[in-house]
Amino acid sequence: MKEAFGEGDEYDWALSIQNQEDERDGVLDPDDPDAIAKGLELKDVFEPSQLAEKLLTDEDHEIRAADVPERYQLARAPYKDLVLTSEQFKEEGIWISDFLWLRKKIKPTLKEPFRKAVAKVLEFM
């Protein structure tokens, strides 16, 4: 069998020359298991739309790394750097409770407990 097909190393000399040229030119070998260590990333291989479809973008990795529910991170993304003072926090609670109060048919005696409940919910956010 070896006599008919050879040892399989007849063209090793050509492959070694090509590998040396590729290393010199900075081309990464896709069959090289250490390609990731050499700087090859998913975004270098796949289209951005494919990465987004499979949830493999940098933003998706950040969401996975954070210890916060994904839906909360996505909903709060525009406001993640916003910091409210305690006075602003109270104002927001009052505004939200007044806004909701107009839509609900609740006894007027429950308005203050309702405001406290809304403020407590805001503390969890």
Side-chain angles (χ1 to χ4, degrees):
M1 189 72 124
K2 291 181 184 177
E3 294 172 3
F5 297 105
E7 296 289 326
D9 57 358
E10 288 81 17
Y11 296 103
D12 282 347
W13 61 272
L15 292 174
S16 66
I17 292 172
Q18 183 179 1
N19 287 340
Q20 290 172 356
E21 289 175 358
D22 287 346
E23 287 176 8
R24 186 181 59 226
D25 295 339
V27 176
L28 297 176
D29 181 14
D31 297 327
D32 185 4
D34 296 327
I36 293 174
K38 293 179 182 177
L40 186 63
E41 295 182 16
L42 287 174
K43 59 186 172 186
D44 298 332
V45 179
F46 297 101
E47 293 286 328
S49 61
Q50 290 174 318
L51 293 175
E53 180 181 308
K54 301 293 183 185
L55 302 174
L56 295 172
T57 62
D58 292 336
E59 182 179 290
D60 294 318
H61 293 304
E62 290 174 13
I63 288 173
R64 271 187 225 99
D67 190 23
V68 177
E70 179 181 1
R71 67 181 182 280
Y72 183 73
Q73 291 182 50
L74 294 175
R76 293 280 303 159
Y79 311 108
K80 71 178 183 180
D81 296 327
L82 179 67
V83 179
L84 294 176
T85 64
S86 61
E87 188 62 36
Q88 290 172 325
F89 202 74
K90 288 177 186 175
E91 289 175 11
E92 289 295 322
I94 292 170
W95 183 87
I96 292 171
S97 62
D98 288 345
F99 181 77
L100 292 174
W101 186 260
L102 296 174
R103 296 175 185 259
K104 301 293 180 186
K105 304 292 186 209
I106 304 175
K107 296 178 186 176
T109 57
L110 298 176
K111 187 169 187 171
E112 193 56 37
F114 182 73
R115 275 191 176 166
K116 289 180 182 180
V118 169
K120 194 66 170 173
V121 170
L122 287 177
E123 286 179 22
F124 292 116
M125 297 179 137

